[in-house]
Amino acid sequence: MSFHEIRFPTAISRGAQGGPERRTDVVVLGSGFEERNSRWAASRRSYNAGYGVASIDALHEVIAFFEERRGRFHGFRWRDHADWKSSLPGAATSALDQVIGLGNGATLTFLLKKTYGSAHAPFVREIKKPVAATVKIAVAGATQAEGADFTVDPATGVLTFAEPPAASAVVTAGFEFDVPVRFDTDKLEVNLSGFQSGAIPNIPIVEIRL
């Protein structure tokens, strides 16, 4: 799939509405008991960017971005302002934020991950679009130097060490990241008179799996 390594205007995405979605089948039996089945192993995020458009100039910026992406054809980066760091949104990231693997003395590559929850059924999310120059790595608590000790591909989230971490050494990471998305429409309907009266344009965005 075609993907452009460019972020949707953050001033507009800051006002967007949306978040994670899951698919669960719920069957209510004749006895009143339920059977539930989770159809997706991972959640999928969707947003409406129209809530962030506060001026005609911002609307024009969205139209230009939409045209360059050819509607639904090209993917792009999206900043989810409620969830864009390995740490809490209001806290600074640290190389100890997230456990991403254990060394075995041979493996050089690891994938950035973020874990949600802890006690009952933690969900591990793969991070495919880290923000360049924000990734911090530690091995067994010792901070590593980007460039000398490791490199990260911001287009895939793959971390590569210069030397493999020792057996049983805990590899941890801190980072900022974007969500890979696309427009979920090939048509933008713009009504200037309605917009000036307070109507919100519908600009659907949906996460893509890479």
Side-chain angles (χ1 to χ4, degrees):
M1 295 184 294
S2 178
F3 192 92
H4 291 172
E5 293 292 340
I6 184 172
R7 184 186 294 156
F8 187 88
T10 55
I12 299 174
S13 65
R14 184 174 291 108
Q17 182 181 75
E21 175 188 0
R22 288 188 172 270
R23 290 288 173 87
T24 306
D25 294 328
V26 180
V27 177
V28 180
L29 306 178
S31 62
F33 288 94
E34 292 182 349
E35 290 186 355
R36 296 185 296 274
N37 178 59
S38 180
R39 295 169 58 186
W40 291 352
S43 57
R44 189 184 194 193
R45 284 152 175 78
S46 59
Y47 310 91
N48 188 344
Y51 287 88
V53 178
S55 67
I56 297 297
D57 287 348
L59 183 58
H60 181 271
E61 189 175 5
V62 171
I63 292 172
F65 195 90
F66 176 87
E67 291 284 24
E68 189 173 8
R69 307 288 86 73
R70 307 298 192 270
R72 294 187 295 176
F73 189 68
H74 297 291
F76 53 93
R77 288 173 173 259
W78 173 272
R79 169 62 59 85
D80 183 336
H81 294 271
D83 186 8
W84 57 281
K85 289 181 176 182
S86 55
S87 60
L88 293 174
T93 60
S94 160
L96 303 177
D97 283 345
Q98 302 289 329
V99 175
I100 63 171
L102 289 175
N104 61 9
T107 300
L108 289 172
T109 60
F110 294 80
L111 185 64
L112 295 178
K113 302 174 184 178
K114 181 175 181 179
T115 301
Y116 297 79
S118 58
H120 300 286
F123 168 61
V124 179
R125 178 185 180 187
E126 294 183 347
I127 302 300
K128 300 293 185 68
K129 295 295 177 182
V131 177
T134 69
V135 179
K136 304 169 185 177
I137 299 295
V139 176
T143 302
Q144 307 295 294
E146 185 172 6
D149 299 321
F150 72 91
T151 58
V152 177
D153 185 347
T156 64
V158 174
L159 161 71
T160 304
F161 284 101
E163 298 291 336
S168 300
V170 178
V171 181
T172 56
F175 45 82
E176 296 177 9
F177 63 94
D178 293 321
V179 182
V181 300
R182 63 168 171 80
F183 286 102
D184 199 22
T185 182
D186 278 322
K187 179 182 180 180
L188 289 184
E189 295 192 26
V190 179
N191 184 329
L192 289 183
S193 60
F195 178 75
Q196 291 168 342
S197 299
I200 298 172
N202 183 40
I203 308 172
I205 307 289
V206 65
E207 182 178 5
I208 55 179
R209 303 197 192 282
L210 300 175

